[in-house]
Amino acid sequence: LDALRHHAKRAASPRPPAALSIATVALVCQIVVVYLGAGLAKCNADWFTGDALIHAISVHDHGTPLGMAMAAYPWLARPLQWVVVAGEIILPIMLIAMPAPAVRITLVGLFTIFHLAIWLGMTVGLFPFVGFVAWLPVLPAVFWGGAACPEKPSVATLGRAGSWLCGMACGIAAAAFILQLPWWRLDRLPLPLAMAVNVTGLQQEWQMFGGVASQTQWVYGRA
């Protein structure tokens, strides 16, 4: 937006190499604080024992089959746990301390791998994909050069394929929303639409705090 405003006011001026404003500073600081806060929050007795990651990916309602399989190998999970803690604390600081384009591209790549691992090992809804998207604004201009709109060099586009995919996702979401409006709410969506909703990850019902009823649980184990 800063680049567009710059071109609107000074069409003859060269394109600025970077956009610097209180908004861009706040955006970078938000990314840093989220990961740094998560890393510092892990500096407690539960994580220092070395088994916290094993517990997280082995819980039946969060761990995927791959995550639960990996939890069975402590020699693999324990080193990964320390990589996660160190990465969440050290790598975000590099985004501020070393903002060179190569460093930023490397950081985006590392955190993309991190969120991909979360997606493969845990069932946490759209969280991994939100993580992918959150890092996109940090990519430097050289990365977006190939996707620049030829008519307006300062505008990056999704490209034809990306635009079609986003349009399809919006259409699926709109159809599901209309069919579930209160005054004609359907008990079940048509199967093709329900499958499309699941594939695109649009069904997100996180009712953790909606109603916490009293309940009794039993744990069974082999004697």
Side-chain angles (χ1 to χ4, degrees):
L1 289 176
D2 284 337
L4 287 174
R5 184 179 59 186
H6 177 87
H7 277 274
K9 290 184 177 180
R10 305 175 184 177
S13 300
R15 178 181 174 184
L20 178 62
S21 68
I22 189 171
T24 58
V25 172
L27 181 62
V28 173
C29 287
Q30 177 179 344
I31 296 173
V32 172
V33 167
V34 167
Y35 291 95
L36 186 60
L40 293 176
K42 292 179 176 64
C43 295
N44 55 53
D46 291 336
W47 281 79
F48 289 159
T49 60
D51 292 331
L53 181 60
I54 295 174
H55 294 162
I57 60 179
S58 61
V59 176
H60 69 278
D61 60 348
H62 285 300
T64 63
L66 178 61
M68 289 186 283
M70 191 174 68
Y73 299 93
W75 58 269
L76 175 62
R78 287 195 178 105
L80 285 177
Q81 169 174 312
W82 297 113
V83 171
V84 169
V85 176
E88 287 184 334
I89 294 176
I90 297 173
L91 295 181
I93 296 176
M94 293 177 59
L95 186 60
I96 295 178
M98 304 171 61
V103 174
R104 286 157 57 188
I105 292 176
T106 302
L107 289 175
V108 173
L110 289 173
F111 277 99
T112 297
I113 295 172
F114 173 59
H115 285 288
L116 180 62
I118 293 176
W119 176 57
L120 293 174
M122 301 182 72
T123 54
V124 286
L126 285 180
F127 171 72
F129 303 100
V130 172
F132 296 147
V133 174
W135 280 93
L136 293 181
V138 179
L139 287 168
V142 292
F143 181 87
W144 299 108
C149 181
E151 294 81 10
K152 298 180 179 179
S154 62
V155 180
T157 68
L158 292 172
R160 182 170 297 179
S163 298
W164 274 103
L165 286 174
C166 286
M168 289 172 59
C170 289
I172 292 168
F177 176 76
I178 292 171
L179 289 176
Q180 293 191 317
L181 287 174
W183 47 87
W184 61 57
R185 183 180 180 89
L186 298 181
D187 292 335
R188 293 185 179 180
L189 293 176
L191 183 58
L193 181 58
M195 292 176 63
V197 168
N198 289 331
V199 168
T200 51
L202 295 173
Q203 184 72 18
Q204 296 291 318
E205 294 186 5
W206 288 64
Q207 300 178 0
M208 295 181 182
F209 309 108
V212 186
S214 176
Q215 57 180 315
T216 304
Q217 297 182 344
W218 292 266
V219 178
Y220 294 88
R222 289 183 180 273

